[in-house]
Amino acid sequence: MNAIIFTAVWGIVMMFGGVFIKSKSTPKYLAIIGLIFILLANYCEIYRGKPFFVIDVKDALHFNSFSLTFITIILACTLLYFLLSGRDIEKVGEHVSEYFSLIFFVLCGACIAATFNTLLMLFIGIEIISIPLYILTGSDKRNLKSNEAALKYFLMGAFSTGIMLMGIAFVYGGNADVASFNITNINLGAGKMPTLIAVGLVFLLIAMSFKASAAPFHFWTPDVYDGAPTVFTSFMATIVKVAVFMAFIRLFEGAFGKVQQQWQALIVIITAATLLIGNITAVFQQSVKRMLAYSSIAQAGFMLLALFALNQQAKEGLVLYAAAYSLASIGMFAILLKMNDYTIDGFNGLIKQQPVLAVTAGIFLLSLTGVPLTAGFVSKFYMLLSAAQSVHFHWLIILAVLCAAVSAYYYFKIIQAIFFKENTTAQQTWDVTPAFKILLIITAALIIVLGLYPDIITEALHY
């Protein structure tokens, strides 16, 4: 509860603060201070069991170690995002304080999505995440590409919202005896699902797949990620994506977990399609930004394995994956923001020009690939292990491994450009401060530490 209230309050403070604050850099420091305070408040709640607010939410929200740990991860990753990319947020436009305000509102929605216990709170949480993102996507008003991406994102988002509402209505109608939106009150036994609930389940599955950019509902993702200001693409492709996955898992475990075998085949089809489409299309991209957009679809395929398995190992794997993927992607996007050229050739000879950026970029890419000793490897291992515990669809695990091998091809093309190619173009001017380099080193070190000691995160789930 601490995180939900404080992110909303701090978002309002940042919004009204924009009226009085004229300096462009001040909002960044205010945002960082606020986020550190919210992190400490969430820490008190998870480890001391002492929320600052004791509010009767009528069982609409449910707080446990899993949801609170997940909230800690997204708050910590957002803090890192502010530290690494705060200066680039200042360059987007004039309304810097409002941009940070919108990000805090997204975090509020993410906290609700991680703790919802009713279908209505799920809807509210997803919408609080989505609406500020439409604005952030179109925040570069003078860029037609950004405007087009915002319009496309809004239309697709509105479409998926309608599908979600239809799904909620069908599930509620099929569960009329209980007349409750509470996901734990959906009365499903071991027998065949009632038709109305089955239809509602399919609608909810489609809507959540849209939000998580899982195939075949992913088609909006590359254009929106490519058109949005790069600094916000970093936030959308990492923290927002893992928050939606958290809601995805929570919904299907809480509402439909008892009849998992009846919908597991649908998840298998979506997972296989997401892995194949994400990886194969990423291979042909020349823009690193667009390649990272497609690779985020491929990474979503791995996260879907947690929904397929739906066991304790899957939960641990998802939380670990959220941290590993967010750290590596935020770091990689932060480096990309310093480049003038977003193509793979733009990385040629980076090791000679900026050794710190080159080495840390290498670690981020190795983690995204899933190479041993990195957090990416451990998180992928957890996902595969959880899926292996299922007695069906073992071919899906083989497909996931093969797709991970394919991902090595396009990630290693950047590594090859960084370390083994010469830069033949004019030297670019680097806006890189010593503090930025130190933060990159810390991020890379965290990836290695989590790769060696994943228990740091997984043990928090059992606190």
Side-chain angles (χ1 to χ4, degrees):
M1 183 56 78
N2 286 349
I4 293 175
I5 292 178
F6 284 126
T7 48
V9 169
W10 208 258
I12 294 169
V13 168
M14 295 293 299
M15 184 171 63
F16 284 101
V19 177
F20 306 102
I21 299 170
K22 301 303 176 189
S23 165
K24 274 197 166 187
S25 58
T26 305
K28 179 182 74 175
Y29 298 115
L30 276 177
I32 290 170
I33 291 168
L35 206 48
I36 291 172
F37 173 74
I38 297 167
L39 257 173
L40 292 174
N42 194 62
Y43 175 85
C44 291
E45 187 167 354
I46 188 172
Y47 290 110
R48 298 181 182 279
K50 293 179 179 176
F52 294 162
F53 308 95
V54 180
I55 300 172
D56 183 7
V57 293
K58 306 296 182 187
D59 205 26
L61 299 171
H62 179 68
F63 300 91
N64 55 24
S65 60
F66 181 49
S67 58
L68 291 173
T69 302
F70 185 83
I71 289 172
T72 304
I73 288 172
I74 59 173
L75 291 176
C77 289
T78 307
L79 178 62
L80 183 66
Y81 164 72
F82 282 169
L83 292 169
L84 278 171
S85 307
R87 290 182 64 193
D88 297 289
I89 294 176
E90 297 168 11
K91 298 173 184 174
V92 174
E94 297 299 320
H95 309 287
V96 180
S97 190
E98 284 82 352
Y99 300 150
F100 283 105
S101 169
L102 290 169
I103 291 171
F104 273 100
F105 290 140
V106 172
L107 289 176
C108 179
C111 294
I112 293 173
T115 56
F116 74 91
N117 210 33
T118 71
L119 293 173
L120 293 181
M121 291 308 295
L122 166 68
F123 174 74
I124 291 170
I126 293 293
E127 286 309 294
I128 294 176
I129 291 174
S130 301
I131 293 170
L133 287 179
Y134 303 149
I135 305 168
L136 289 173
T137 303
S139 53
D140 190 1
K141 295 178 182 175
R142 291 163 296 185
N143 187 337
L144 285 178
K145 206 172 175 181
S146 174
N147 294 335
E148 181 188 337
L151 181 61
K152 189 175 287 185
Y153 195 14
F154 170 71
L155 292 175
M156 288 297 105
F159 181 60
S160 62
T161 296
I163 294 175
M164 177 180 283
L165 283 175
M166 287 175 65
I168 291 173
F170 272 104
V171 170
Y172 184 81
N175 200 36
D177 293 342
V178 181
S180 170
F181 287 106
N182 195 310
I183 59 173
T184 55
N185 289 341
I186 295 175
N187 190 23
L188 294 175
K192 189 179 177 184
M193 252 190 300
T195 305
L196 283 177
I197 293 184
V199 173
L201 183 150
V202 172
F203 277 127
L204 285 171
L205 180 61
I206 292 172
M208 294 305 291
S209 297
F210 259 112
K211 300 294 184 186
S213 61
F217 311 103
H218 67 288
F219 45 83
W220 59 272
T221 311
D223 290 341
V224 171
Y225 283 11
D226 196 30
T230 307
V231 68
F232 296 135
T233 304
S234 168
F235 182 68
M236 292 160 64
T238 54
I239 293 152
V240 173
K241 183 182 277 288
V242 297
V244 171
F245 261 101
M246 175 67 189
F248 210 160
I249 292 282
R250 192 169 174 79
L251 171 65
F252 274 75
E253 184 193 24
F256 311 115
K258 294 177 185 173
V259 290
Q260 183 190 9
Q261 288 189 348
Q262 296 186 39
W263 49 264
Q264 198 176 34
L266 291 174
I267 297 299
V268 169
I269 294 169
I270 292 174
T271 305
T274 306
L275 285 167
L276 285 170
I277 293 173
N279 281 294
I280 291 172
T281 47
V283 166
F284 299 102
Q285 305 304 314
Q286 290 303 313
S287 162
V288 174
K289 185 180 178 184
R290 203 166 173 85
M291 186 271 283
L292 288 173
Y294 276 107
S295 80
S296 79
I297 297 171
Q299 300 283 355
F302 257 94
M303 285 188 260
L304 278 169
L305 289 176
L307 188 58
F308 163 75
L310 215 59
N311 50 36
Q312 183 61 33
Q313 190 95 44
K315 283 184 174 181
E316 293 178 357
L318 183 67
V319 173
L320 198 56
Y321 209 104
Y325 170 66
S326 297
L327 287 172
S329 294
I330 288 171
M332 197 59 212
F333 271 105
I335 293 172
L336 192 63
L337 280 165
K338 304 302 176 189
M339 311 285 293
N340 292 328
D341 185 356
Y342 284 179
T343 64
I344 294 175
D345 289 340
F347 282 82
N348 286 351
L350 184 65
I351 185 66
K352 291 181 180 175
Q353 301 171 56
Q354 292 287 340
V356 173
L357 270 63
V359 172
T360 52
I363 293 172
F364 300 147
L365 291 167
L366 289 175
S367 182
L368 288 170
T369 309
V371 171
L373 299 182
T374 64
F377 169 77
V378 180
S379 57
K380 280 185 168 64
F381 177 74
Y382 266 68
M383 288 298 184
L384 294 172
L385 200 61
S386 67
Q389 292 176 12
S390 174
V391 294
H392 305 291
F393 305 109
H394 282 170
W395 61 266
L396 186 64
I397 302 168
I398 298 171
L399 178 67
V401 173
L402 290 174
C403 286
V406 172
S407 74
Y409 173 76
Y410 53 81
Y411 286 131
F412 272 66
K413 277 205 298 187
I414 306 175
I415 293 176
Q416 182 191 28
I418 291 172
F419 293 98
F420 303 109
K421 288 190 175 180
E422 291 293 332
N423 183 13
T424 55
T425 59
Q427 297 287 318
Q428 72 172 31
T429 305
W430 294 92
D431 180 21
V432 179
T433 62
F436 179 80
K437 291 180 181 177
I438 291 170
L439 284 168
L440 280 182
I441 293 170
I442 291 172
T443 308
L446 283 173
I447 287 173
I448 301 296
V449 169
L450 285 179
L452 295 173
Y453 306 102
D455 294 350
I456 294 172
I457 288 181
T458 55
E459 283 186 358
L461 299 178
H462 307 289
Y463 196 84

